[in-house]
Amino acid sequence: MISFGFLMLALILLIHGIYRISLVFRLFLGSNGEKKKQENILFTDSCPEVTIQLPIYNEKSVVERLLYAVCAIDYPKEKMEIQIIDDSTDETTAIVSGLIADFKKRGFDIQHLQRGTRAGYKAGGLQYGLEKAKGEFIAIFDADFIPPPSFLKNTLPYFSSPKIGMVQARWGYLNRNSNLLTRCQALFLDGHFLLEQPVRYKQNLFFNFNGTAGVWRKQCIIDAGGWEGDTLTEDLDLSYRAQFKGWKFVYTQKMVVPSELPSPIVAFRTQQHRWAKGAIQTAKKHLLSLLRGSFPTTSKIEGLFHLLAHSIHPIVALLVILNAVTFFSAPQEKSSVQVFAGILFSVISLFYISYLSVILILSKKFELSTLFILPFSMAMALGMTFANTKSVIDGLFGKNNIFVRTPKNGSFNPQKPIYKVEHSLTLPLLETLAATVFSIALYQAFQKHLWVSVPTLFLHTMGFGYVGIATLYSIIKMKKIPSNH
């Protein structure tokens, strides 16, 4: 029975691995003929009016950098409205007020919007600003992003077609090389921005606004029903509602907007929880509409893989548990099942190593000195399995929709976090226990010459050990930071 369950779960994981590899091949296939090149039409006579929305909440470390970058955008001041949608409860508000006074003297149209509530969280703030926005187009930047001066002039021309509702730029990373954690994050995100988004855009499939570093046509947002706060991924939710309405999206890989990756692992875990839980909530909300809609079969299949991407975590978690059970099971079961498990995990690992290697090449970061990041990234993804599984379960059955924002450091120093992040000890203790179990299994594998099991057990030990111990260490350090709102 255990062997059958193991086989079924492993086959699902294998299908997911094949899908990832298929992205690589599909990246180099031709588009379906839809015109993709940029047309510089909007700037021949006049520039359209643009509202730039900056949703912030307790961002004292980065808000000044953000405002200076936005006000340095090369665009006529009389055509650019800036909305600072400020839900802060700390000194961020005072910093913003001081900066706004100076920028207004310099001729910028800046509005400091304070709702007095966090109802709807980011979605609520964006909708509040939308109802007051003067612009025909809405550009959105999170607090940790630094838009280049050319951002608007390189994105707005894509709206030359009235069918285009949103243009998404690629993310860059200011602190990619800060530590192992940020290197892994950059690699994972490059997979999204260098493979997934280009393939989906190129083949006219469903893809999403990433919450920041993008521009919307205001009418598109209104037509899709506006921002809604019933999921933790309001960007993914609105993206599907807009595309269901027939709006087309553009992804531009050439326009790169630098951002700050979360350095403390507890901040990273907070972000991953929100993304995983919100994606499952959005899947619950839209899967039936996707399947019942009159969309091409390829769009439906890609939409399923897209919306259900995080459902892979519970499958991996079950495989992790079964892997431990089969290893420590009765001797008569050990030889066949464990050898099979080792071979199967090796094949799946080869798929993912190949996938990650292609991402390194596409990001132009492929060097001999960077190869170590491949097995470590796989190990870290394994180590996050239990945490992500909890997020998926919360998305399926949980009702508590608190939006916990990812704190930003500004200084890029992970050793000196500015904002405190609350985190339970339960999961990191469980992860550390899993690392202990797999380290014992690894020791026994060496002793009993079960060489086929060694790579898999090593990845499990390293992944759960790093995630669990690093989180416990980070929680201890966070206790030294004064409590913030």
Side-chain angles (χ1 to χ4, degrees):
M1 188 66 182
I2 290 178
S3 301
F4 178 76
F6 188 97
L7 177 61
M8 291 298 100
L9 293 170
L11 285 175
I12 295 173
L13 190 59
L14 188 61
I15 291 170
H16 186 265
I18 293 171
Y19 164 73
R20 289 285 161 193
I21 291 297
S22 79
L23 289 170
V24 176
F25 292 101
R26 290 156 62 195
L27 181 68
F28 300 104
L29 294 176
S31 68
N32 61 5
E34 183 173 327
K35 193 175 183 181
K36 301 297 184 186
K37 72 176 185 178
Q38 179 175 352
E39 297 181 63
N40 290 298
I41 292 175
L42 294 175
F43 299 103
T44 53
D45 298 315
S46 61
C47 297
E49 197 160 7
V50 178
T51 296
I52 300 178
Q53 292 187 321
L54 310 175
I56 62 172
Y57 172 69
N58 293 357
E59 307 288 5
K60 61 184 178 183
S61 60
V62 293
V63 69
E64 183 174 356
R65 181 183 70 186
L66 170 67
L67 274 178
Y68 273 100
V70 168
C71 290
I73 290 177
D74 182 17
Y75 205 73
K77 291 180 183 177
E78 66 274 11
K79 294 288 186 177
M80 186 170 71
E81 174 192 36
I82 302 170
Q83 289 183 342
I84 304 173
I85 305 168
D86 182 12
D87 289 344
S88 299
T89 55
D90 68 354
E91 57 265 43
T92 301
T93 300
I95 295 171
V96 169
S97 297
L99 290 168
I100 281 181
D102 180 54
F103 282 117
K104 280 188 174 181
K105 289 178 184 176
R106 293 160 56 183
F108 287 94
D109 180 7
I110 303 185
Q111 310 300 320
H112 190 183
L113 305 181
Q114 295 175 277
R115 300 186 294 156
T117 174
R118 287 193 76 199
Y121 301 103
K122 182 180 177 181
L126 291 173
Q127 184 63 25
Y128 180 77
L130 182 72
E131 293 166 1
K132 301 175 182 296
K134 295 182 289 187
E136 178 186 353
F137 297 98
I138 310 291
I140 301 172
F141 300 103
D142 282 348
D144 52 329
F145 280 69
I146 306 178
S150 62
F151 180 82
L152 289 179
K153 289 192 173 181
N154 283 342
T155 53
L156 289 177
Y158 288 103
F159 288 99
S160 56
S161 167
K163 296 179 180 179
I164 302 300
M166 189 279 297
V167 176
Q168 174 66 56
R170 176 185 159 195
W171 294 6
Y173 320 108
L174 294 163
N175 58 334
R176 182 185 195 115
N177 297 319
S178 178
N179 55 35
L180 274 174
L181 176 62
T182 56
R183 285 172 183 264
C184 289
Q185 289 179 70
L187 182 61
F188 296 145
L189 287 170
D190 277 343
H192 179 70
F193 286 102
L194 295 177
L195 269 179
E196 293 177 13
Q197 294 287 65
V199 166
R200 289 167 183 159
Y201 168 52
K202 197 175 179 182
Q203 298 183 350
N204 289 326
L205 304 171
F206 290 113
F207 73 96
N208 64 296
F209 170 58
N210 293 111
T212 177
V215 186
W216 285 83
R217 191 186 296 272
K218 183 179 179 181
Q219 186 55 43
C220 173
I221 301 176
I222 295 171
D223 185 48
W227 295 100
E228 297 178 358
D230 55 345
T231 75
L232 290 179
T233 47
E234 71 292 323
D235 46 4
L236 182 62
D237 170 38
L238 180 60
S239 295
Y240 269 81
R241 284 189 280 120
Q243 289 171 104
F244 286 164
K245 287 275 191 176
W247 290 94
K248 301 296 183 182
F249 288 1
V250 170
Y251 172 66
T252 171
Q253 194 169 313
K254 294 179 181 178
M255 185 72 256
V256 181
V257 183
S259 65
E260 179 184 336
L261 296 165
S263 295
I265 193 168
V266 286
F268 169 70
R269 292 176 72 121
T270 295
Q271 182 190 70
Q272 293 302 300
H273 171 75
R274 191 175 70 247
W275 287 358
K277 179 177 178 178
I280 294 299
Q281 290 174 323
T282 305
K284 283 173 58 180
K285 185 174 179 179
H286 294 305
L287 271 182
L288 281 180
S289 297
L290 173 69
L291 296 174
R292 290 173 177 172
S294 56
F295 311 115
T297 302
T298 52
S299 294
K300 291 184 178 183
I301 292 172
E302 188 66 32
L304 283 172
F305 274 103
H306 187 195
L307 289 174
L308 296 175
H310 290 280
S311 63
I312 200 70
H313 300 306
I315 294 169
V316 176
L318 286 171
L319 279 170
V320 165
I321 295 168
L322 286 175
N323 198 27
V325 170
T326 54
F327 190 90
F328 291 108
S329 61
Q332 60 268 24
E333 296 178 24
K334 192 176 300 181
S335 57
S336 58
V337 177
Q338 196 59 32
V339 169
F340 173 72
I343 293 173
L344 195 55
F345 266 107
S346 297
V347 172
I348 294 170
S349 297
L350 184 61
F351 274 116
Y352 283 95
I353 286 287
S354 302
Y355 171 76
L356 294 174
S357 298
V358 171
I359 295 171
L360 273 180
I361 293 170
L362 290 173
S363 64
K364 300 179 181 178
K365 301 294 181 183
F366 191 90
E367 300 172 1
L368 288 177
S369 60
T370 62
L371 288 180
F372 79 94
I373 202 67
L374 298 177
F376 187 82
S377 296
M378 285 190 61
M380 196 187 82
L382 267 174
M384 286 292 296
T385 295
F386 293 159
N388 287 330
T389 297
K390 179 184 180 299
S391 302
V392 168
I393 294 171
D394 284 350
L396 281 173
F397 307 109
K399 295 182 180 179
N400 193 357
N401 236 23
I402 297 175
F403 187 107
V404 181
R405 68 91 167 86
T406 307
K408 291 86 181 179
N409 231 24
S411 65
F412 314 143
N413 184 355
Q415 304 306 318
K416 295 182 180 179
I418 294 172
Y419 284 104
K420 190 171 187 176
V421 182
E422 300 292 342
H423 198 288
S424 167
L425 289 170
T426 305
L427 276 173
L429 287 173
L430 179 62
E431 290 153 356
T432 305
L433 175 62
T436 304
V437 170
F438 281 109
S439 66
I440 295 170
L442 182 62
Y443 174 73
Q444 290 188 10
F446 275 112
Q447 273 198 327
K448 297 175 181 179
H449 307 295
L450 297 172
W451 306 118
V452 72
S453 302
V454 168
T456 299
L457 296 173
F458 176 74
L459 284 177
H460 283 65
T461 303
M462 180 168 62
F464 284 108
Y466 170 75
V467 170
I469 295 170
T471 303
L472 290 172
Y473 177 71
S474 188
I475 290 172
I476 292 170
K477 292 200 69 174
M478 285 286 174
K479 291 187 178 295
K480 299 177 183 179
I481 302 174
S483 294
N484 55 280
H485 297 285

